[in-house]
Each structure stands twice: as C-alpha cells, then as structure tokens.
Amino acid sequence: MGVLDASTSPPKERYAVSNDNVTRLIQPGIFDDQLTEVLRDGARALLAKAVEAEVAGFLGQHADLKTADGHQRVVRHGHLPERDVMTGIGPVAVRQPRVRDREAAAADPSRIRFSPSILPPYMHRSKSIETLLPVLYLKGISTGDFSEALAALLGKDAAGLSASAIGRLKDGWLDEHTAWQKRDLSAKRYVYIWADGIHLEARLQDEKQCILVLIGATPEGRKELVGFTDGARESAHDWRDLLLDLKRRGLDVAPRLVIADCALGFWKAAGEVWPNTREQRCWVHKTANVLAKLPKSQHPRAKRALQEIWMAETKSTAELAFDAFIESYTLKYEKAADCLRKDRDTLLAFYDFPAEHWKHLRTTNPIESTFATVRHRTTRSKGCLSNKTALAMVFKLVEDAQKNWRRLDGHNQLPKLIVGVTFNNGIEVIAKPTDRQPKTAAA
C-alpha cells in the first residue's frame, strides 16, 4: 500500500468555535431589545400627547378669564425639567408643561393652579411598579437584591429603587397599614359583610397564622375592605377581637346579612357581636364539604343536585330540591346528608333579599376571587417575614385589587333594606295601605 503524503491528504475536519458562532448573553440590567425601545418611544409619545391634551383642556376651561389689560389670564409657561417615570417597560422620560396665572402672585391663595392627574408633581413610578414591589418582597427577594432584580426586569436605568429606597417604601407600607387599622368608622355602614380566613403561602414566621378578612357592601353598592388582620386558625377569640375593634372605632350599625363559610369560630363571634344579623353560609364551601363525604363516583350527580337547590327560582322550589337531596343520600351516605341538613336555614337565607343580589350573597367569592390572585403572587421561601411585615405587603396587594372591585348589581335596592323593606323570593313585598277612612254610623 502506498503511504499518503501529508501535504496531499485532505485537511482534517476542525471543530474549533470561531467568534462568529459565539452568542453573547444579555447580562442582568442590560436591554438590547429593539422592541422594548420601540415600546418606550411609543409610550413617551402617547404620554406627551395625553399630558398636552390635559393642559389644553385646563386652559380651555379658563379661556374666558382675562387680565385687567384684556389678555388671557391663564396661559402656558414653558415646561418643568424632564424627569423619568419608572413603568413596567422601564423608565420613560416626560416633560410636564407649566401653567401660569398672570393675575395672581405665587403665594396668593386665589391663584389658579394646574394640578395634573396623569403626572402628579412627585410621581416617580407607575402604579404597576408600586404593585410589583410587595410582590417581589413576598416572593423572597431581599431588600439588598431589589436593585439587581428590578434592573433585570426594567433595565439598567431603573434608578431610585435602591435598597435604601425600598426600605423607605416598606416602612411606608407598614405605616399605611397601621393607620388604616386605626381609621374612624363612625360614618360607615355596611349592608352586607363577607368574612373568610385566608391561608396564604407567604413566608410568614408562624405557619399556623392566617389572615382574617372582612369585605363590606356600602349603601351605594360599593365593596370595601373592612377588616384585615392575622389570627390563629380562625379562632373565635381572634374573630371576636376583630369585630369588637370595628365597633370601638365607630361601626355601631350591624350588617343586615353576613356571608361566610362553615368556620365555627367566626359564627360564634358574629353571634355575640351582631346577634340580630342574618347568616348566609357559602354554597361553594358547603358543596366542597358535602362532596368530601361522598365517593368520587357520586360527585358529578351530587354536584348537579346541590346546584338545583341554590339555583332554584323560589325558596319553595329550593326546599323541594333540598328535601330530595336528603332523601336520596341519607340511606347510603348519611354523613353527606347530615352535612347539608344542619345548615338548611342559613343556606337559604339569601331568598329573603333582593334577587339582583343573590349571585353576590350565595358565596364568599368577593374575598376568594381577590385572594386567588394574591395567592398566585406569594409563596413560602427562605428568610421568613414577621407577620406584621407580611400583612403590610399583602395589604398593599389587596388595596390595589380593591380599585377593580365591581359594584353590586341592583344597588338601588340597598337603601330599601336599610329602611326595613322586606323581600320574598327576591321580590319586594309591597305593604297594603290600611283603610283609614272613618266608618260612618248607620242611618
């Protein structure tokens, strides 16, 4: 065999990596994203237009005002220095127009002043960032790591969010929660109140703690956070302390109806503090409790049978469906039937209230839906929070969620409940006028 000459043999395949094949990874805090820059430019342009429109509207409201020499009294007066507002896509530079009142000095109380709503004077971060901060804290991000975490999310220019700034914000949240817990309630009244104990996967020091929550419906139909504190396993003692604290701060008028699950601790406390308030058990919790005492093979049928009760058009129809369920399941599944039977009256209380409110009154959904989002945003992690700090963080999340709570349907019916109008099967009972005509003597 001949020997191949090295000079004439084909070159060996090489596997060395060239610079052309190296992809540089984006480091935390560095954006190299054209789409993000386009979004920022678009946000900057839209914000500028919105601010200009707000100023133009303000000037238009005062267009008829003239100075002593006949000139326009309220006019534009340049711009304030440019500042960055931190948003969900990073910092966006903005310039706020100035407005001048030519007829009044700066210290004159009667001076016409422009108070922007889109860009308040001391606003440095959007509401979405305010919500993000407690989320990150509950997720386990320590104060010292906030700058790095936010730089990775918002860009390297995420200024003003250093460890010291986060510490000041956290102290502010604690102060806000403390002030909220001491607020005066003497001018408040709630027609309905929903109550529930929420167990979060937040990093609390004491895993036995839960958050006791009360949400109330005002006479105008708006839902408000009424009570919010921590408690040990929803005990009657802790619920009683919360309800009595509300009374001490001026909430003297008891609600017409309270909606809660089957937690005995709350109902014991509510019966002592609000003895004349009607009770409504949550149908979602009751359904889960009944199904837990049945084999899974029975769940679909039993769930439909329970739904026929609370979806009935009238109380009498619901009573028939209630009796049918008890009769069907007592023989083989007595525990499930007893679980339903024992709360019969409190499960059907909603029929004595306006039909428009039934979907709000049958469950504790106003609390559950709010805290479903909070639960997804919190998790247990290393480095436990004190209960006080965790409560303040969750309070900020609930406070933000409260802005999106829906008004009650049929809110015009609430004042009727306050004055004592009765309802039967959801329909207002019209009192018949008494015959006040004097009887004439027989001739």
Side-chain angles (χ1 to χ4, degrees):
M1 290 180 63
V3 178
L4 290 176
D5 186 359
S7 62
T8 59
S9 62
K12 292 182 179 181
E13 186 175 359
R14 298 181 181 273
Y15 295 95
V17 179
S18 67
N19 290 334
D20 294 337
N21 295 331
V22 175
T23 301
R24 185 177 298 276
L25 297 177
I26 298 176
Q27 299 301 311
I30 298 177
F31 272 114
D32 187 16
D33 183 359
Q34 292 183 354
L35 177 59
T36 300
E37 293 303 323
V38 169
L39 290 173
R40 285 185 187 173
D41 290 340
R44 189 179 297 112
L46 287 173
L47 185 57
K49 289 182 180 179
V51 169
E52 291 292 338
E54 186 178 22
V55 172
F58 181 81
L59 295 175
Q61 293 175 6
H62 300 87
D64 296 335
L65 300 178
K66 304 294 181 181
T67 60
D69 55 1
H71 292 89
Q72 197 76 33
R73 175 176 172 176
V74 182
V75 295
R76 294 175 61 97
H77 189 60
H79 290 80
L80 293 170
E82 186 176 80
R83 57 189 163 112
D84 284 342
V85 175
M86 191 57 60
T87 70
I89 56 172
V92 175
V94 295
R95 293 188 71 198
Q96 177 70 53
R98 278 178 171 159
V99 174
R100 177 187 173 192
D101 181 357
R102 289 172 166 173
E103 281 288 288
D108 191 341
S110 63
R111 181 186 180 191
I112 298 175
R113 302 175 186 274
F114 173 56
S115 299
S117 59
I118 299 175
L119 284 174
Y122 301 104
M123 178 182 178
H124 294 287
R125 60 185 65 88
S126 67
K127 291 297 182 183
S128 62
I129 302 301
E130 295 287 354
T131 303
L132 174 64
L133 298 180
V135 171
L136 290 178
Y137 203 96
L138 287 165
K139 279 288 187 180
I141 303 297
S142 64
T143 303
D145 294 334
F146 260 86
S147 296
E148 183 178 347
L150 290 170
L153 291 170
L154 308 175
K156 61 181 180 180
D157 299 324
L161 295 172
S162 61
S164 59
I166 297 299
R168 289 193 299 271
L169 283 172
K170 186 181 72 173
D171 292 340
W173 298 332
L174 289 167
D175 293 340
E176 288 178 27
H177 181 227
T178 300
W180 182 85
Q181 286 183 309
K182 297 178 180 179
R183 73 198 187 284
D184 180 30
L185 297 173
S186 57
K188 291 290 186 179
R189 175 165 188 173
Y190 299 101
V191 184
Y192 304 131
I193 282 184
W194 294 265
D196 203 357
I198 303 298
H199 296 266
L200 294 177
E201 292 299 315
R203 46 183 187 147
L204 292 173
Q205 285 179 343
D206 189 347
E207 295 183 5
K208 296 180 181 179
Q209 298 288 316
C210 70
I211 297 178
L212 308 181
V213 184
L214 297 173
I215 291 178
T218 68
E220 297 76 31
R222 304 192 184 281
K223 286 176 280 189
E224 295 180 355
L225 186 64
V226 180
F228 183 85
T229 188
D230 58 341
R233 298 183 180 274
E234 300 186 62
S235 69
H237 177 269
D238 290 331
W239 275 117
R240 188 184 301 108
D241 280 350
L242 176 57
L243 299 182
L244 290 176
D245 180 60
L246 298 178
K247 291 192 71 173
R248 283 192 294 268
R249 289 188 283 122
L251 192 62
D252 294 326
V253 181
R256 294 295 308 276
L257 181 72
V258 172
I259 307 96
D261 61 13
C262 299
L264 298 179
F266 170 77
W267 292 116
K268 182 179 179 181
E272 296 171 359
V273 181
W274 296 326
N276 298 320
T277 295
R278 296 284 303 276
E279 300 176 1
Q280 171 65 48
R281 296 296 195 274
C282 172
W283 268 100
V284 171
H285 286 88
K286 176 55 69 174
T287 298
N289 293 339
V290 172
L291 295 181
K293 301 180 186 305
L294 292 170
K296 288 188 177 181
S297 60
Q298 292 292 322
H299 285 192
R301 178 171 171 266
K303 196 171 183 178
R304 289 194 300 270
L306 291 171
Q307 189 176 23
E308 288 180 3
I309 302 173
W310 57 266
M311 287 294 289
E313 290 292 330
T314 64
K315 189 172 183 178
S316 58
T317 305
E319 295 272 11
L320 292 175
F322 204 106
D323 292 336
F325 186 97
I326 300 299
E327 185 178 3
S328 298
Y329 287 91
T330 296
L331 184 59
K332 293 184 65 177
Y333 308 105
E334 185 177 3
K335 290 184 178 180
D338 289 342
C339 180
L340 182 67
R341 182 190 292 112
K342 68 186 181 70
D343 292 319
R344 183 186 190 108
D345 293 337
T346 53
L347 283 168
L348 302 179
F350 69 90
Y351 281 103
D352 297 330
F353 293 84
E356 298 95 324
H357 301 169
W358 287 358
K359 67 179 182 180
H360 304 290
L361 304 181
R362 288 185 289 227
T363 72
T364 56
N365 186 60
I367 296 178
E368 291 292 333
S369 59
T370 296
F371 278 86
T373 303
V374 176
R375 281 193 183 100
H376 287 309
R377 292 177 173 182
T378 58
T379 184
R380 184 183 294 113
S381 60
K382 294 180 181 179
C384 290
L385 294 169
S386 69
N387 290 328
K388 183 178 180 181
T389 303
L391 276 175
M393 302 297 102
V394 177
F395 172 73
K396 290 299 296 181
L397 297 178
V398 177
E399 188 180 46
D400 183 70
Q402 184 175 229
K403 300 170 186 176
N404 298 318
W405 287 349
R406 290 182 59 248
R407 197 176 183 185
L408 265 64
D409 293 345
H411 53 84
N412 59 309
Q413 303 283 18
L414 292 167
K416 298 178 182 178
L417 290 171
I418 293 175
V419 299
V421 173
T422 58
F423 288 78
N424 182 27
N425 289 323
I427 306 300
E428 178 182 352
V429 177
I430 307 297
K432 296 181 179 180
T434 57
D435 184 9
R436 298 183 180 177
Q437 295 294 328
K439 296 181 179 180
T440 57

